Amino acid sequence: MPRPSPRYAQAPALVAFGSAVRERRLALGLSREALAHEAGIYRSYMSSVKRGCQSVGLVLAAQIAQALDVTPAELVAKARL
Amino acid sequence: MPRPSPRYAQAPALVAFGSAVRERRLALGLSREALAHEAGIYRSYMSSVKRGCQSVGLVLAAQIAQALDVTPAELVAKARL
């Protein structure tokens, strides 16, 4: 089970990023499992990202963006960050 | 001393992000100390970011971007991510 980022859990930026990931995933018709697999990330980590409980590092954010077929900058912009 | 992200140290995305931070810092004429202080981040952490040794989390990336007077998306885009 990933260590959530307790210190930053539910920080507005993380909640916004989690929503942007979910929005894009749904737009592509991807399941959570498929997105996690495509990004090479544990499903449990991905669900903590979705809940805004994970201060995703740049490397993993880039992996998630690639799996969502957007650039990391586009994904961060979708989160209006 | 911050725990560098050994697993991702020198990952291309991190090296690019570190360069983008440095480039923007120099453009603003900020010293490393001033940037670290403005971002509310330890100077040692900031230098590991600059060296591409830190998979910066979104929350800290947002703090760094704010200190550099750009949005996180703009900073990530400057890194061509």
Side-chain angles (χ1 to χ4, degrees):
Chain A
M1 186 62 190
R3 279 177 305 122
S5 313
R7 190 165 162 196
Y8 300 120
Q10 300 299 311
L14 302 186
V15 173
F17 184 79
S19 305
V21 168
R22 182 173 181 277
E23 212 177 286
R24 180 66 184 163
R25 176 177 66 79
L26 294 176
L28 294 175
L30 278 175
S31 69
R32 264 179 269 164
E33 290 72 18
L35 174 58
H37 177 73
E38 193 65 34
I41 289 174
Y42 288 114
R43 207 174 72 78
S44 51
Y45 184 93
M46 195 64 86
S47 66
S48 65
V49 168
K50 194 207 79 177
R51 293 192 319 271
C53 295
Q54 202 64 248
S55 187
V56 186
L58 287 174
V59 170
L60 292 186
Q63 285 175 213
I64 294 171
Q66 189 173 14
L68 291 170
D69 198 23
V70 287
T71 66
E74 286 166 340
L75 189 54
V76 172
K78 277 183 190 302
R80 280 171 286 287
L81 297 179
Chain B
M1 187 61 191
R3 279 177 305 122
S5 315
R7 189 165 161 195
Y8 300 118
Q10 300 299 313
L14 302 185
V15 172
F17 184 79
S19 307
V21 168
R22 182 173 182 278
E23 212 177 287
R24 180 66 184 162
R25 176 177 67 78
L26 295 176
L28 294 174
L30 278 176
S31 69
R32 265 177 269 164
E33 291 71 19
L35 174 58
H37 176 74
E38 193 65 34
I41 289 174
Y42 287 114
R43 208 175 72 77
S44 50
Y45 184 92
M46 196 66 85
S47 66
S48 64
V49 168
K50 194 208 80 178
R51 294 193 318 272
C53 294
Q54 202 64 249
S55 188
V56 186
L58 287 175
V59 170
L60 292 186
Q63 286 175 214
I64 295 171
Q66 189 172 13
L68 292 170
D69 199 23
V70 286
T71 66
E74 286 167 339
L75 189 55
V76 172
K78 277 184 190 298
R80 280 172 285 288
L81 296 180

